[in-house]
Amino acid sequence: MKSISVVKVGKLNDPDEEKKGKVAVLDIEEQEVGDEDVKIKVAYCAICGSDPHLVENIFGWDVPFGLGHEVSGVIVELGKKATKKGLKVGDRVAGNFLKFCGTCYYCQNGQQQFCEHGDEYNRPGMSEYIVWHESQVYKLPDNVSLKEGCMLEPISIAVRMMDKVNPRYGERIAISGGGPIGLLAIQSIVRFGGTSVTLIEPIEARRELGLKYGAEHVIDPTTQSTIEEGLRITEGRGFDTVIDCSGSVRAVGDLPKITARGGKLIYGAMYPKSFEMPFNLYEYCYFNELTVTGFYVAPYAFPRAIQSLSKYQLEDFISKEFFIDDAEAAFAAQVSGKYPKILIHCNKDL
């Protein structure tokens, strides 16, 4: 079957062709269906902001390796013991690319994100078919399309983010980074009653989307001072919660300076593995008592995410698609920053 894979590691937009990363469509074997597994004919797999980082090979995997985890599709086969969730052949589904084992210390301790065996089920979603364990698969509501369905995994991240933020009604909140997660964060924060909601984003089109989704203020860090504007908006006090969704090493350093005393600072993105940021412990942790945290994947969030899917405005996220054979063009569009989201259409008949 066709599957998009990394065939050469490096930055996708590296001007040096010798160092440039490359993706290609390979012919790989279809996965076997175990007794508790579900085989899905993939309709759409969205490109995640982390996928270009995988092309750079931050995890040190051997090439070629497959990509894609934001999946929707239709069930075509069920293992004989895949009966616990009432799934049927023909069901439209989406799901969690990680299978949490449920038996290790972390799963038993309510910390599925650290499952000692979770990486065993990271199978490539940018393929014509994928096989997942029944526990990873969720039936889509009738009012959610397959295009919208592939947004389940990003929305699970937004749900997990709200768990970490735990916002109080009326809090002043800033989001750095207007990519898909940042824009979903704005929609979530607005629903929670956030105030002075501010998006920090260099791309004008994404700032406009932020305003469309409910941001009250936007800051262009290329022409404005994030610190000066952030403090102006908050009357010198800073934001009660600041969330970084950018993953940009250029963006993260200013964020402690716009976080209010006693506030929360959440670094909610994937960063270069070797990046270290100067951080004044006396000022931010001792004197200002900031709570600083991050998050990894989305444990226990998918049931709530599936219930929330139809509540989000997703039209702008699903408007640009490429067929699976156009992998290189799709990833070039992704790194261009022109679109909030890129979908890979893996089977033309779905």
Side-chain angles (χ1 to χ4, degrees), residues 52-79:
H53 292 300
L54 296 183
V55 179
E56 294 170 22
N57 208 16
I58 64 169
F59 294 132
W61 296 338
D62 294 332
V63 294
F65 56 84
L67 292 170
H69 56 271
E70 300 177 2
V71 169
S72 68
V74 175
I75 294 176
V76 293
E77 185 178 347
L78 291 165

Side-chain angles (χ1 to χ4, degrees), residues 1-42:
M1 67 173 178
K2 294 178 181 179
S3 182
I4 296 177
S5 301
V6 177
V7 294
K8 182 171 177 287
V9 299
K11 290 190 175 183
L12 286 163
N13 56 356
D14 196 312
D16 186 339
E17 286 295 326
E18 294 296 318
K19 297 179 181 178
K20 191 173 183 178
K22 185 176 181 181
V23 298
V25 179
L26 303 183
D27 184 17
I28 68 171
E29 290 187 11
E30 292 186 24
Q31 300 142 5
E32 295 184 5
V33 181
D35 285 351
E36 298 180 352
D37 288 340
V38 177
K39 184 174 183 179
I40 301 166
K41 185 175 183 179
V42 179

Side-chain angles (χ1 to χ4, degrees), residues 44-156:
Y44 297 95
C45 184
I47 300 179
C48 176
S50 67
D51 285 325
H53 292 300
L54 296 183
V55 179
E56 294 170 22
N57 208 16
I58 64 169
F59 294 132
W61 296 338
D62 294 332
V63 294
F65 56 84
L67 292 170
H69 56 271
E70 300 177 2
V71 169
S72 68
V74 175
I75 294 176
V76 293
E77 185 178 347
L78 291 165
K80 63 183 179 181
K81 293 184 179 179
T83 59
K84 295 183 177 67
K85 299 177 81 170
L87 298 170
K88 303 184 299 297
V89 170
D91 281 348
R92 301 175 317 112
V93 296
N96 181 5
F97 69 105
L98 289 173
K99 178 185 180 295
F100 302 123
C101 75
T103 57
C104 72
Y105 171 84
Y106 294 107
C107 284
Q108 295 281 299
N109 199 42
Q111 297 173 295
Q112 281 183 319
Q113 69 270 34
F114 304 129
C115 175
E116 295 172 350
H117 308 287
D119 59 349
E120 294 177 3
Y121 282 79
N122 188 1
R123 295 170 176 170
M126 293 179 188
S127 305
E128 292 179 293
Y129 295 91
I130 194 165
V131 175
W132 280 348
H133 188 268
E134 178 189 23
S135 63
Q136 299 170 257
V137 182
Y138 296 84
K139 184 177 178 181
L140 291 173
D142 291 340
N143 63 341
V144 173
S145 69
L146 284 168
K147 279 189 175 183
E148 293 167 327
C150 72
M151 292 296 297
L152 176 64
E153 197 277 339
I155 288 173
S156 78

